Amino acid sequence: MTGFRLKTGGEIDRARPVTFTFDGESVTGFAGDTYASALMASGHMVMGRSFKYRRRRGLWGAGVEEPNVWLDITCGAGFAPGRRATTEPAQHGAVTRAATASPSAERDATGAFDWFGRFIPSGFYYKTFMWPDWHLFERHIRAQAGIGTVRRDFTDVPPADRIHHHCDLLVVGAGPVGLAAAVMAAEAGARVMLVDEQDRAGGSLLAHPAVIDGQAAPDWLAAALARLAAAGARVLMRATAFGSYDHGLVAVNQRHDDGRSDTMWQVRPHHVLLATGAIDRPLPFANNDLPGIMSAEAALVYLRRYAVAPGRRVVVATSNNRTGAVAQALAEAGVAVTLVDARADATAPAGIALIRSRIIEAHGRRGVRSVTLADGQRIDCDAVLVSGGLTPTIHLYAQARGKPAWDAEKAAFVPGSTVAGMTLAGAAAGQFTLAGAFAALPEALAPLGLPLAAAPVTGAAPRYEIAAMWPEPGEKGRVWIDLQHDVTAKDVELAARENFTSVEHLKRYTTLGMATDQGKTSNLAGLALMGALTGRTVPQVGTTTYRPPYTPVPYESFAAGRRGVRFNPVKRLALESAHRAAGAVLREYGGWLRPAFYGTDDSAILIEAKQARESAALFDGSTLGKIEVMGPQAEDFLEFVYYNSIRSLKPGRGRYCFVLSETGVVFDDGVLLRLAPDHFIVSCSSSHVDGMRGLLEEWRQDRFDPSRVFIHDATQHWATLTVSGPQARAIIAGAGVEADLSDDVLPHMAIGAGRFGDQPLRIARVSFTGDRSYEISIRATQAAPLWAALRQAGSDHGAVLLGMEALTILRAEKGYLIIGKDTDGTTLPQDLGLTGPLAKKSEEFIGRRSLILPDAADANRRQFTGIEVTDGLGPLPCGAHGVEDRDGRPRSLGYVTSSYFSPTLDRPIALGLIERAQARQGEEIAFQHLGQRRRGRLVAPCFLDPDGGRLHG
Amino acid sequence: MQIFTCPFCGPRPETEFHFGGDLGNARPEGFRAVSDDEWSRYLYHRRNEKGAVREVWMHMTCGELFAMERDSVTMEAAPGHALHGDAP
Amino acid sequence: MTRRYSAFSLLREGLSGQKGWEPAWRSPDPKPRYDVVIIGAGGHGLATAYYLAKNHGITNVAVIEKGWLGGGNTGRNTTVIRSNYFYPESVALYDLALRLYEGLSRDLNYNIMLSQRGMLNLVHFPADMEMAARLTNAMQINGVDAELLDRDQVRAMLPIYNYGPDARYPVAGGVLQPRGGIARHDAVAWGYARAASRAGVDIIQQCEVQDFIIEGGRCRGLHTTKGEIRADRVGMAVAGHSSVMAAKAGFSLPLISYALQACVSEPVKPILDCTVIAPGAATYASQSDKGELVVGGALDRVPSYGQRGNLPVLQGVVAGLIEMFPIFRQLKLMRQWAGIVDVAPDSSPIIGESPLPGLFLNCGWGTGGFKAIPAGGTLLAHLLATGQHHDISRPFDLDRFANGRLIDEAAGSGIAH
């Protein structure tokens, strides 16, 4: 128990205690604490276990760089697995547990793994577990993996918002440099957005005091925020700019920490200024992972913001001249401090004991107890604060294809190549003193092209000095590089020895930098060691590719409420409520929600199919495509579009036609209606309307004069109500439709007009059932009264409401095919027995050339056929394959595409695509379904009324 | 999210557009004269260049085809221009 | 030096500080000429080299790689392995790969961690069960393991799916291939590289092909950034960059390169056993041994060599994932990336001699190259060794585009690759 709360100070609200549990133990902090600061203040040292060796781990960082401490958090009704303790505000009543340990961080059941560490180095799993079988080992290894446990009963995450935002300047990072930049730009008239991942603005100022423009940091901060508000800038806190995407888009995830889901901002600024600061690195020495060893910068944050000291006897070890301030701050808080500085010319603040050396080993079990220095001294301590130097946070820059450059003097990658629309400032740009960063601001903001006020001024600070310390080849003991993934210097040496020397191989082989912290503190040390091992410099080794997101982002932020029906909205019928009222069971067909059948169970289907043949049926066919094609070139255009010739189609008539794709495959079928010489309606299949519209537009613009042929999709403007069956005509007349339905005026495949009340109707004598049938189109908004009238009239004639399922039986009885069901993506028109146009049509049409490729003439093509069941066992399963046995093995001949029991014929019927079916009519073949064999005979697809008498009956 | 500029509607998000192939992939005419190879080149072969590309796109919301020059690596996209020279 | 990998050698090396392992592969300078040179040290290229040595005794072979081996799509995919295909030609190809994968760890003496926890294609609506039956029967007839599951069977296997009344894509059933699964993608590249290198193959990394040496209308070798390298036969397995290479060789290919994205969540304890795809949600997911959910979906819609993904597709994929599994709303996305995939018009690969004699192609794998690596290697090695097609690769020759014999899985099964 080493960390403790200071009596005064910090940004916490000591009047508001916050109590939660950690691994079952009660912990009390204050409002303003994170879980990490509260745990540290209450003396916790071991807060997690490492990923692989299950070593005890404590806090390393104070922000997004934290590799060690992860919590499963239950708070009220909410639950979140595997959350970083350093960035989650402590909530009263929360139940937390170490996500990396079981049953607790202190007493992890698998702690003994560490004893076997020498046998399980990086990549050990590639070298073993091959005998007898990987599967025997895998589940045990899987069980050990993972940070956090998904709760199987918790889905209650509210939909997130997504907001699109445009601005002149997006400033990422509300530290002193970002704030100053935002103020300068906003006061010069730019629309500015300023985002920062922390819960309050200030960045490094919150830990490092400074005097800016003659004001103390808190006063300057408050004034800057006030000036931003006055200038109309938008400031988002808890908002992480995590990704830089094409065409200048920056994605920002904003946390709310109040039960709401996060908000995704998609920001499209004219310019981005990254003032994202820098992250302090660890120092390499043996056992540098012990609890109690933490980042010096982080310790300062805990001290200043949360009034928590890491221990009472503290060693501060550093490679650079920024850390004296940390030692001094701790000393002022009453902590005994020894400064260990690796630089030969190091100096210490007044009153701080200085040793010019470096730590070579830390000692302790549950936490650090002492350290040994290079000069052999051993110093007892209860905490070690380390600073290995600053790594600029340039993720968004690198994601935007910026190329980092190595700055040897600063021992860091800094921005190199320029990126259009993006500049960097402050520590992110390698400017490690505030005065220098302010001085560089006018240049960083120059792309805005605005007259800017002067940048703030602050006292000069000594320039950054560092004697870089990297892990060296042959380190004694276990020097940890990636704390979260348990990668040591020895692992990097092993990678080098085995020739995994490219930076990406190093990363993948050792898993360095692949954990949830994505290597924010560890990558550079790994590169440097690999460089040393292979005789290369750090820039020669290079960096791995920076990938979004900068920190993990909730899935819901991406989905942003796209769930349930909103995931992919269905298209709805104008008459949906009427269908529901009539007892329809609605299902999705081709993106439309349509009545499958009317009744409580699917026994209704056969009743509907039978009654439709005996009397009449009413069917809502509104989804049928209605694309109008008009203009003087309409006929030429459609002659090219259609497989069938349409020039001979007379106004007032319709024709059943195919459209092919350029590959010759049947793309759609339907009845083309010709209303007038230069006015057609393409009634395409319900699910192909979008595809047909695209196809028509493409050819219209590519090949025809777009000013002489026009396309208009009127599908959703019209409802189409179909009356089919022997009684159809009587029902329509009985419903009050004014129209001449006599066979002379309106024979099969003719189009007529009519009225219903004051509404004009289009009536097409087109049949998909094989019975006399009328498709009545009416303005969609006026469909309900007509439907009601038809139902009323229909009830006098025994008409039934027909759902999709029964309709498919009716059309199958007639052998009418459904594109995409009875055809597949290889079906050519000749496979359907329709060779006429190919032989006779002289004009060019879509797909024509493909119909004479060698494959089109293949004798073994699958062809459309009817199938009669010959084994007396009921309908063939749809999806069964026709098979023949060859050399003792089955071979597929094709498949059953439609199969039903026909209530009218009182026997099963089926359609299929079978090899050489046209030549094999009458042949009996075997069918196979899930290993069972059946038998059926190939017959003509039309099972009912082959002469078509019922169309006129 | 990329922004493409439809010559008729202006800048719009990439999700409103549909790729239409290489600019200048002319359909070989006269089905009797066209060889299998020529036809398959037209149907299937693509320049698929790395770097500067010239393509046909459809803005699905207005239905218009247009030509666009892009860079297939950096994804920079110049404003599209109308195929028939009749853009407003 | 320790060469052979085993529990015993690991133990022995553990006692001596892991200091005795020899390099997994050599990094030699290129020789001026080889019997065979392969462009691209991804899975397919490395496997080709390995099978040239193993199956044909040809070891005077170099594999040329612009970057680092296994750094392209082999190291960027979602590691799914399956052979649940519809057409016999496809099944022959992908099941050859799966069978080789099943013995690969021992064959290579490198644990590729093939984890056959099943590949489950969900079926959302009752009407779609017909198409599922068509696929299941096709697989069974073609000799591949396949089970047609009903709703209850799926539910027992996948209790965390969204079975709620508001589910946009409910479950009517599924098609299960029990032998489907995932493997460790890097290990496949590294295992082949190590085995090929030991057989004498030179793997030349950081070596970019600048041009082909064409003499007498034949490909005779390569100009590279490490000098001229001559070879009797040249193989090419460069995935997304196939068209770029083809242009250097003077021909075009029926390919378009797109970015294909994938992403992983933060790692969590085991929650998802099989690999599952929901066609309606256009999303699939598995869970790696490290605990990350590995998630993928459709291609980015804009042809690209950019090797990075964009937001709209990612947003759709993630929305699909948590529509499938609402409990995953608890989780965060940790990393997203993209590979460049070369997509053929029928989404089937192209294997065969190119229009430039002496240059042989292995490309067009689109979104599904990883699962085919052992087969792609075997078949390209056969071509390079014999100049002739293996029976299994013949249907995938480039000539199918001219004669119309495309092998379009989506066309037959309704399920895209």
Side-chain angles (χ1 to χ4, degrees):
Chain A
M1 308 288 263
T2 57
F4 61 94
R5 183 88 68 180
L6 303 177
K7 295 271 185 293
T8 58
E11 296 161 5
I12 47 171
D13 182 353
R14 289 170 200 262
R16 290 168 55 208
V18 167
T19 300
F20 61 94
T21 66
F22 169 69
D23 280 346
E25 190 185 323
S26 180
V27 177
T28 298
F30 298 108
D33 264 325
T34 61
Y35 288 110
S37 65
L39 285 167
M40 187 169 154
S42 63
H44 280 80
M45 208 156 185
V46 180
M47 302 184 203
R49 291 286 176 143
S50 70
F51 182 77
K52 183 172 167 189
Y53 300 126
R54 301 313 218 217
R55 284 171 64 92
R56 294 180 179 83
R57 292 282 165 80
L59 284 171
W60 155 263
V64 297
E65 75 282 8
E66 172 60 31
N68 287 339
V69 184
W70 303 82
L71 304 174
D72 285 352
I73 302 169
T74 307
C75 185
F79 173 72
R83 293 298 192 263
R84 200 189 297 109
T86 52
T87 53
E88 296 290 325
Q91 306 277 353
H92 190 71
V95 176
T96 74
R97 52 176 300 276
T100 51
S102 175
S104 72
E106 283 283 357
R107 275 176 288 280
D108 181 65
T110 51
F113 281 23
D114 194 29
W115 302 344
F116 303 102
R118 58 162 57 187
F119 301 109
I120 50 173
S122 279
F124 74 97
Y125 30 79
Y126 300 126
K127 293 174 175 152
T128 183
F129 303 136
M130 289 174 269
W131 294 89
D133 189 75
W134 163 242
H135 292 96
L136 292 180
F137 304 96
E138 187 197 22
R139 59 197 166 96
H140 302 292
I141 288 175
R142 272 172 83 78
Q144 294 308 318
I147 296 169
T149 304
V150 176
R151 235 175 72 185
R152 285 169 180 261
D153 59 348
F154 183 74
T155 61
D156 189 19
V157 175
D161 287 332
R162 180 187 301 162
I163 300 175
H164 295 261
H165 186 72
H166 293 253
C167 57
D168 296 321
L169 176 68
L170 171 68
V171 180
V172 182
V177 177
L179 270 170
V183 169
M184 288 164 71
E187 292 187 345
R191 294 172 302 151
V192 174
M193 179 182 235
L194 172 64
V195 302
D196 191 290
E197 66 189 6
Q198 305 247 10
D199 57 358
R200 60 191 302 165
S204 63
L205 285 183
L206 300 176
H208 293 270
V211 175
I212 303 172
D213 282 347
Q215 292 176 293
D219 299 334
W220 181 84
L221 253 176
L225 289 168
R227 287 166 70 182
L228 280 178
R234 187 187 285 267
V235 180
L236 298 184
M237 301 311 297
R238 300 185 173 94
T240 305
F242 67 81
S244 174
Y245 294 92
D246 287 331
H247 296 187
L249 182 75
V250 178
V252 177
N253 185 67
Q254 181 190 20
R255 285 162 36 217
H256 298 296
D257 295 336
D258 60 1
R260 276 183 294 162
S261 284
D262 298 0
T263 297
M264 173 77 94
W265 292 77
Q266 292 188 190
V267 185
R268 206 175 284 279
H270 288 129
H271 191 82
V272 183
L273 182 75
L274 299 182
T276 40
I279 291 174
D280 203 359
R281 297 187 294 263
L283 284 174
F285 52 86
N287 297 328
N288 58 347
D289 69 326
L290 287 177
I293 300 177
M294 73 189 303
S295 152
E297 279 293 327
L300 191 61
V301 169
Y302 285 111
L303 191 74
R304 299 276 191 217
R305 296 195 58 185
Y306 307 105
V308 182
R312 298 183 193 275
R313 284 192 304 168
V314 176
V315 171
V316 178
T318 186
S319 64
N320 60 76
N321 64 341
R322 284 176 55 90
T323 323
V326 180
Q328 192 173 17
L330 284 164
E332 283 165 8
V335 172
V337 181
T338 306
L339 181 61
V340 177
D341 194 324
R343 295 170 305 136
D345 56 351
T347 57
I352 305 287
L354 171 70
I355 303 172
R356 291 192 186 89
S357 184
R358 63 189 195 89
I359 299 175
I360 56 166
E361 187 173 5
H363 311 278
R365 206 172 73 84
R366 289 194 52 257
V368 65
R369 284 281 162 263
S370 63
V371 292
T372 301
L373 306 187
D375 60 12
Q377 275 191 75
R378 188 153 170 156
I379 307 174
D380 290 341
C381 57
D382 57 3
V384 177
L385 311 182
V386 298
S387 172
L390 295 177
T391 297
T393 301
I394 54 172
H395 291 66
L396 293 181
Y397 161 82
Q399 286 175 24
R401 297 192 170 88
K403 295 268 177 295
W406 177 249
D407 184 329
E409 199 182 322
K410 296 185 178 119
F413 280 105
V414 297
S417 66
T418 56
V419 170
M422 180 181 281
T423 46
L424 297 94
Q431 301 151 359
F432 291 156
T433 67
L434 191 51
F438 282 153
L441 267 183
E443 193 189 333
L445 291 173
L448 294 178
L450 292 170
L452 300 167
V457 289
T458 185
R463 56 187 272 128
Y464 178 69
E465 286 173 12
I466 178 166
M469 289 164 66
W470 308 116
E472 286 168 14
E475 293 273 9
K476 297 273 182 295
R478 295 162 91 185
V479 177
W480 302 84
I481 293 177
D482 184 331
L483 291 173
Q484 197 179 3
H485 258 171
D486 272 348
V487 180
T488 66
K490 285 191 170 60
D491 290 315
V492 177
E493 291 189 43
L494 177 64
R497 191 173 300 131
E498 300 193 84
N499 206 8
F500 290 87
T501 53
S502 121
V503 60
E504 289 284 353
H505 285 155
L506 167 67
K507 166 181 140 181
R508 287 151 181 266
Y509 188 62
T510 63
T511 72
L512 171 70
M514 294 182 78
T516 45
D517 67 344
Q518 296 281 286
K520 290 186 176 62
T521 60
S522 59
N523 281 347
L524 200 49
L527 304 181
L529 175 55
M530 180 53 82
L533 287 162
T534 54
R536 292 177 294 171
T537 61
V538 174
Q540 282 172 334
V541 177
T543 65
T544 55
T545 311
Y546 289 77
R547 303 249 176 238
Y550 171 62
T551 53
V553 174
Y555 276 142
E556 179 54 35
S557 294
F558 290 96
R562 254 189 86 182
R563 55 173 75 166
V565 73
R566 278 178 293 168
F567 179 78
N568 187 7
V570 286
K571 296 179 193 165
R572 292 178 180 277
L573 297 165
L575 294 176
E576 180 178 321
S577 53
H579 295 309
R580 286 190 189 278
V585 171
L586 295 149
R587 285 186 192 152
E588 191 179 334
Y589 298 89
W592 287 88
L593 202 58
R594 309 180 67 176
F597 53 84
Y598 296 82
T600 50
D601 63 71
D602 58 12
S603 65
I605 296 168
L606 291 184
I607 297 168
E608 289 171 22
K610 190 151 196 288
Q611 210 174 325
R613 292 268 182 240
E614 288 168 357
S615 52
L618 303 180
F619 173 70
D620 185 347
S622 301
T623 62
L624 192 67
K626 292 168 276 278
I627 301 176
E628 302 200 35
V629 178
M630 292 159 280
Q633 269 197 346
E635 183 185 291
D636 293 343
F637 172 61
L638 292 172
E639 182 71 13
F640 175 74
V641 166
Y642 278 98
Y643 174 63
N644 314 67
S645 183
I646 59 100
R647 291 199 191 279
S648 58
L649 178 61
K650 293 189 175 57
R653 288 287 188 274
R655 180 171 291 166
Y656 176 71
C657 300
F658 286 125
V659 175
L660 314 182
S661 70
E662 273 283 64
T663 60
V665 169
V666 179
F667 179 78
D668 193 36
D669 68 344
V671 174
L672 176 69
L673 306 175
R674 188 168 202 168
L675 303 184
D678 56 0
H679 188 185
F680 298 82
I681 292 181
V682 173
S683 24
C684 47
S685 326
S686 306
S687 55
H688 282 163
V689 176
D690 291 342
M692 271 301 286
R693 193 180 49 210
L695 179 145
L696 292 170
E697 272 299 349
E698 200 174 322
W699 288 112
R700 165 186 168 261
Q701 294 173 50
D702 191 57
R703 221 183 145 81
F704 293 85
D705 181 347
S707 66
R708 292 172 65 77
V709 54
F710 306 94
I711 292 164
H712 173 64
D713 177 10
T715 301
Q716 310 230 23
H717 305 184
W718 297 88
T720 300
L721 310 179
T722 304
V723 188
S724 166
Q727 300 298 321
R729 203 161 26 170
I731 291 170
I732 296 168
V737 169
E738 303 163 37
D740 188 343
L741 301 179
S742 67
D743 287 353
D744 297 341
V745 174
L746 199 66
H748 181 56
M749 295 306 263
I751 313 155
R755 298 194 73 78
F756 179 70
D758 60 353
Q759 290 298 312
L761 307 174
R762 187 173 61 240
I763 303 174
R765 176 106 182 255
V766 171
S767 175
F768 196 46
T769 60
D771 285 328
R772 171 186 290 274
S773 179
Y774 299 86
E775 294 179 350
I776 307 173
S777 292
I778 185 169
R779 277 211 316 208
T781 51
Q782 306 298 321
L786 176 58
W787 182 247
L790 289 169
R791 283 195 62 193
Q792 180 63 48
S795 66
D796 301 339
H797 294 88
V800 67
L801 296 181
L802 192 65
M804 282 294 286
E805 297 297 325
L807 177 69
T808 61
I809 298 176
L810 299 182
R811 62 89 209 174
E813 288 169 344
K814 288 294 297 176
Y816 296 157
L817 53 85
I818 296 178
I819 302 289
K821 177 172 171 63
D822 300 301
T823 68
D824 67 22
T826 67
T827 308
L828 306 178
Q830 49 271 50
D831 301 331
L832 303 174
L834 279 140
T835 52
L838 182 59
K840 289 187 211 132
K841 190 167 168 176
S842 59
E843 290 184 60
E844 187 61 278
F845 57 84
I846 298 173
R848 165 145 225 168
R849 181 61 185 77
S850 295
L851 299 181
I852 52 174
L853 288 174
D855 189 56
D858 193 313
N860 290 326
R861 293 192 63 82
R862 283 185 299 274
Q863 296 168 326
F864 182 57
T865 183
I867 304 163
E868 210 171 61
V869 175
T870 53
D871 59 11
L873 296 175
L876 290 169
C878 191
H881 282 240
V883 287
E884 62 178 10
D885 292 309
R886 207 178 263 183
D887 307 327
R889 294 189 53 184
R891 194 181 79 85
S892 171
L893 297 170
Y895 23 88
V896 177
T897 58
S898 293
S899 178
Y900 311 96
F901 181 79
S902 163
T904 301
L905 298 164
D906 196 30
R907 62 183 169 92
I909 56 167
L911 302 171
L913 286 169
I914 301 290
E915 243 178 56
R916 293 187 294 114
Q918 284 158 17
R920 304 212 296 211
Q921 290 292 295
E923 202 176 298
E924 192 183 70
I925 65 169
F927 289 87
Q928 180 167 326
H929 177 66
L930 304 180
Q932 303 294 311
R933 289 289 175 98
R934 298 282 309 273
R935 297 202 67 78
R937 179 175 291 115
L938 307 185
V939 297
C942 183
F943 296 92
L944 178 80
D945 185 32
D947 302 330
R950 293 183 65 99
L951 288 170
H952 314 287
Chain B
M1 181 82 83
Q2 301 180 56
I3 300 286
F4 295 154
T5 303
C6 168
F8 305 92
C9 309
R12 292 286 190 276
E14 63 178 285
T15 47
E16 293 183 8
F17 295 85
H18 179 73
F19 176 55
D22 293 339
L23 187 65
N25 181 28
R27 186 177 198 264
E29 294 300 329
F31 58 90
R32 286 189 188 87
V34 177
S35 73
D36 291 350
D37 259 347
E38 270 178 277
W39 185 246
S40 99
R41 253 163 223 297
Y42 154 71
L43 274 184
Y44 301 124
H45 283 241
R46 297 292 174 260
R47 292 199 295 264
N48 197 27
E49 290 148 309
K50 183 175 184 178
V53 295
R54 299 167 71 226
E55 298 163 336
V56 177
W57 286 78
M58 180 182 278
H59 186 209
M60 292 183 291
T61 45
C62 74
E64 292 291 332
L65 293 172
F66 64 94
M68 184 163 67
E69 291 171 16
R70 298 189 302 125
D71 186 303
S72 63
V73 179
T74 66
M75 309 308 275
E76 282 165 36
H81 43 94
L83 290 170
H84 297 281
D86 57 354
Chain C
M1 296 291 259
T2 300
R3 284 174 68 90
R4 186 151 184 86
Y5 292 165
S6 68
F8 173 72
S9 63
L10 203 58
L11 202 64
R12 195 183 58 211
E13 283 294 332
L15 296 171
S16 57
Q18 308 285 347
K19 293 218 168 76
W21 298 109
E22 69 166 30
W25 50 78
R26 298 168 292 111
S27 293
D29 290 325
K31 296 189 283 189
R33 85 164 285 118
Y34 292 90
D35 293 343
V36 176
V37 168
I38 298 154
I39 309 169
H44 284 270
L46 293 167
T48 302
Y50 172 70
Y51 292 114
L52 273 171
K54 184 185 178 197
N55 296 351
H56 305 280
I58 299 173
T59 57
N60 185 24
V61 173
V63 186
I64 308 294
E65 169 56 49
K66 177 172 71 172
W68 36 281
L69 70 88
N73 295 344
T74 306
R76 293 166 191 272
N77 63 82
T78 50
T79 81
V80 176
I81 290 171
R82 58 187 174 84
S83 61
N84 53 354
Y85 283 78
F86 187 74
Y87 289 121
E89 296 88 342
S90 307
V91 170
L93 178 69
Y94 291 103
D95 208 53
L96 169 65
L98 179 49
R99 289 194 311 272
L100 288 169
Y101 262 130
E102 285 172 326
L104 198 59
S105 291
R106 291 180 214 172
D107 189 21
L108 299 177
N109 181 228
Y110 206 96
N111 187 2
I112 62 154
M113 294 181 238
L114 174 67
S115 176
Q116 293 174 290
R117 285 178 273 124
M119 172 77 212
L120 177 61
N121 288 11
L122 293 179
V123 178
H124 299 304
F125 302 110
D128 300 332
M129 286 301 285
E130 297 173 352
M131 204 59 106
R134 192 192 286 185
L135 172 62
T136 307
N137 288 322
M139 289 171 63
Q140 292 180 350
I141 289 164
N142 290 320
V144 175
D145 57 317
E147 294 171 22
L148 186 64
L149 306 185
D150 64 21
R151 186 179 195 274
D152 291 340
Q153 288 170 304
V154 171
R155 193 162 186 158
M157 193 177 162
L158 197 65
I160 59 173
Y161 190 82
N162 183 358
Y163 300 99
D166 297 327
R168 179 67 183 83
Y169 291 104
V171 169
V175 180
L176 174 69
Q177 182 178 27
R179 284 163 67 232
I182 57 175
R184 174 87 184 103
H185 54 6
D186 289 327
V188 173
W190 299 342
Y192 274 120
R194 173 169 167 266
S197 179
R198 283 176 178 211
V201 172
D202 286 354
I203 302 169
I204 321 284
Q205 301 182 75
Q206 305 294 328
C207 177
E208 186 168 356
V209 173
Q210 294 164 315
D211 213 342
F212 291 86
I213 302 171
I214 302 172
E215 290 167 1
R218 244 189 103 79
C219 180
R220 303 285 180 185
L222 306 165
H223 297 290
T224 77
T225 50
K226 292 191 175 178
E228 189 179 290
I229 305 176
R230 291 192 162 257
D232 299 333
R233 290 198 171 114
V234 176
M236 169 177 133
V238 298
H241 282 74
S242 296
S243 294
V244 177
M245 277 294 144
K248 287 184 198 293
F251 58 91
S252 68
L253 288 168
L255 296 173
I256 300 179
S257 294
Y258 290 97
L260 176 66
Q261 298 197 53
C263 62
V264 292
S265 72
E266 293 185 310
V268 289
K269 293 289 175 195
I271 184 84
L272 179 62
D273 280 337
C274 61
T275 303
V276 55
I277 179 166
T283 300
Y284 66 91
S286 66
Q287 188 178 17
S288 73
D289 286 337
K290 242 164 74 184
E292 299 155 342
L293 297 175
V294 184
V295 184
L299 294 167
D300 281 22
R301 305 146 50 91
V302 182
S304 168
Y305 286 90
Q307 232 176 37
R308 64 181 210 165
N310 216 344
L311 267 185
V313 170
L314 180 70
Q315 286 167 333
V317 166
V318 170
L321 175 75
I322 58 179
E323 176 62 20
M324 290 162 72
F325 303 106
I327 61 169
F328 291 165
R329 290 175 192 154
Q330 298 165 40
L331 297 180
K332 293 183 177 185
L333 184 147
M334 182 170 80
R335 189 168 60 241
Q336 72 170 114
W337 68 93
I340 301 304
V341 299
D342 46 329
V343 180
D346 55 359
S347 295
S348 285
I350 299 168
I351 306 170
E353 191 160 17
S354 79
L356 176 65
L359 174 63
F360 294 82
L361 303 174
N362 167 329
C363 60
W365 295 97
T367 62
F370 177 72
K371 72 173 87 72
I373 283 172
T378 299
L379 299 172
L380 182 58
H382 189 274
L383 269 162
L384 287 166
T386 66
Q388 304 294 316
H389 266 298
H390 189 286
D391 280 346
I392 293 178
S393 65
R394 186 167 289 112
F396 295 93
D397 195 277
L398 190 57
D399 67 9
R400 73 179 186 272
F401 298 98
N403 65 31
R405 290 191 181 89
L406 273 59
I407 304 168
D408 190 344
E409 283 287 318
S413 68
I415 295 170
H417 282 245

